[in-house]
Amino acid sequence: MAKNKTEQKQQYMICALLDDLVPEDHLVRKLDRYVDWSFIYDICDPLYSNRGTNRVDPVVLFKMMFINIIF
């Protein structure tokens, strides 16, 4: 069944840099400035295979989980 034009949702695309959306004094920026996240590579390297497709960056995955817990 076709929907009326008034019932259709409008979709917008925002074109902005992430740096422009996050304030300079935000907690996430402070964490990134003071924490050296490279230790995660040493922990995760044995868990990944040398064959197959490229792996997802483990630092990015860890940061996503960390931010989810904080906020």
Side-chain angles (χ1 to χ4, degrees):
M1 181 176 208
K3 292 184 179 182
N4 294 336
K5 289 185 180 182
T6 57
E7 293 179 13
Q8 293 178 350
K9 291 183 180 180
Q10 295 291 327
Q11 294 182 359
Y12 299 99
M13 186 169 81
I14 299 172
C15 294
L17 296 174
L18 190 57
D19 288 337
D20 297 337
L21 300 175
V22 180
E24 285 295 325
D25 62 341
H26 197 276
L27 177 63
V28 173
R29 286 193 185 267
K30 291 177 185 176
L31 285 171
D32 200 39
R33 191 176 306 129
Y34 295 112
V35 177
D36 181 19
W37 302 99
S38 63
F39 72 93
I40 296 172
Y41 293 115
D42 296 332
I43 295 171
C44 294
D45 272 343
L47 303 173
Y48 286 97
S49 173
N50 293 332
R51 296 179 287 172
T53 59
N54 293 337
R55 65 183 182 184
V56 177
D57 190 356
V59 173
V60 173
L61 292 175
F62 183 82
K63 284 181 180 181
M64 288 185 339
M65 290 187 294
F66 192 71
I67 288 171
N68 186 26
I69 291 168
I70 290 176
F71 297 107

